[in-house]
Amino acid sequence: MENYMKLEIAAISENESFARSAVAAFALSLNPTLNDLSDIKTAVSEAVTNCVVHAYGSKSARDKITIECRTKEEDGFGVIHITVTDSGCGIDDVEQATAPFYTTLPSEERSGMGFTIMQTFMDEFSVRSAKNEGTQVCMSKRIGWVKNGEIRELADA
Amino acid sequence: MQIKAMTNNNIVYMTLQGEIDEHSAERARREADRLIDEYAAAESAVIDLSGVSFMDSTGIGFLIGRYKRFRRFGIPVYVTNLTQSTDKILEMSGVYTLIPKI
């Protein structure tokens, strides 16, 4: 079943929990496993945290993050497509930024694993960024796809 | 995020409860470091993650930061009782080479 939602939130850390929970709730119509839901929540949390910490680097509620989600059926699987967009500072070197353990803020106990987690936890992942214009992260996950022998379990709605 | 600590036979047990993300981490760091300093005479430390309902990569930085603080006092650190999703993040990031899972 095709479905769509668009969420615009202030780029403040208080909204990280709301954003990941909202996307997980939207994904429920695909009847995901608990592992699928956990992966989606973690990936969204990473993307939103990047916007708050790196794109804007401020606590201003005027800065906005846009999250768009589409669910559809593709090749017999439910799929969720998620885009997280900011209008922040942009990324100088996307390849470097997405390398494991790379961080511009090591002094703040940043692990540099955010993009790696998004890549690993989702099935498709891409980043587009323009300096001083913003960044868009696109991620997709097939729901119900049995991977690495994991057995499907029903999520609690 | 709630953090509690207690000792038994010179082992400090630190229990984390709640969600670890960018928003909750700063307060959690302060509270954990206060407890680490309080239990600096311990011989080893075990961080119980059974109550962690959500963790993103912020949790990796949080745990490595606390590992470094414990090491200042020569205290080795272990993690235990991980949920499946927490285990997945810590495994892929190689945290267990510093903080073994027991």
Side-chain angles (χ1 to χ4, degrees):
Chain A
M1 179 180 65
E2 281 201 30
N3 200 357
Y4 170 80
M5 76 126 172
K6 183 175 180 179
L7 188 65
E8 187 178 69
I9 55 173
I12 54 176
S13 64
E14 282 87 339
N15 282 334
E16 290 160 5
S17 176
F18 168 69
R20 63 180 178 256
S21 299
V23 174
F26 184 75
L28 280 178
S29 64
L30 295 174
N31 197 20
T33 66
L34 290 175
N35 286 340
D36 288 335
L37 276 183
S38 177
D39 288 351
I40 290 167
K41 284 177 74 172
T42 307
V44 170
S45 194
E46 300 294 352
V48 171
T49 299
N50 277 354
C51 298
V52 173
V53 174
H54 298 288
Y56 296 115
S58 69
K59 304 284 184 191
S60 169
R62 284 172 308 197
D63 297 326
K64 299 289 192 294
I65 303 166
T66 303
I67 301 166
E68 287 181 89
C69 298
R70 283 184 175 80
T71 55
K72 55 175 73 169
E73 194 178 313
E74 293 175 10
D75 303 325
F77 295 99
V79 181
I80 183 164
H81 298 280
I82 304 165
T83 62
V84 180
T85 310
D86 67 66
S87 308
C89 64
I91 300 170
D92 282 327
D93 184 336
V94 169
E95 192 178 345
Q96 184 182 44
T98 53
F101 302 110
Y102 177 80
T103 179
T104 53
L105 296 169
S107 60
E108 294 185 16
E109 294 190 356
R110 309 278 170 206
S111 66
M113 289 296 284
F115 279 129
T116 304
I117 285 175
M118 289 181 239
Q119 280 173 310
T120 308
F121 285 24
M122 303 296 279
D123 295 319
E124 289 174 27
F125 167 84
S126 65
V127 184
R128 283 190 301 174
S129 190
K131 195 70 186 156
N132 298 321
E133 289 180 24
T135 300
Q136 183 173 66
V137 171
C138 300
M139 308 181 279
S140 302
K141 192 170 185 68
R142 286 209 276 180
I143 303 296
W145 187 27
V146 178
K147 195 162 60 171
N148 300 329
E150 287 175 359
I151 297 168
R152 183 170 178 158
E153 48 190 288
L154 288 175
D156 294 322
Chain B
M1 167 62 59
Q2 283 191 319
I3 303 176
K4 292 178 183 166
M6 56 162 284
T7 54
N8 187 16
N9 291 329
N10 272 345
I11 301 170
V12 56
Y13 294 92
M14 185 173 277
T15 307
L16 275 56
Q17 187 103 33
E19 298 188 325
I20 304 180
D21 64 7
E22 159 65 19
H23 182 62
S24 65
E26 192 178 330
R27 215 184 78 185
R29 281 186 205 114
R30 283 201 304 270
E31 180 61 11
D33 287 349
R34 186 186 68 75
L35 290 166
I36 292 168
D37 294 351
E38 190 177 321
Y39 291 99
E43 286 176 6
S44 62
V46 178
I47 301 176
D48 187 327
L49 297 173
S50 60
V52 174
S53 53
F54 175 83
M55 176 192 283
D56 61 17
S57 67
T58 310
I60 301 167
F62 173 86
L63 286 171
I64 292 174
R66 307 300 65 74
Y67 161 82
K68 288 179 179 171
R69 188 121 181 158
F70 273 120
R71 293 298 292 181
R72 277 194 206 169
F73 304 110
I75 302 172
V77 188
Y78 304 89
V79 286
T80 193
N81 292 333
L82 296 96
T83 63
Q84 199 171 350
S85 53
T86 303
D87 184 48
K88 186 174 177 178
I89 288 175
L90 298 186
E91 177 78 46
M92 69 171 284
S93 58
V95 166
Y96 295 142
T97 59
L98 295 175
I99 312 171
K101 178 172 60 170
I102 57 171

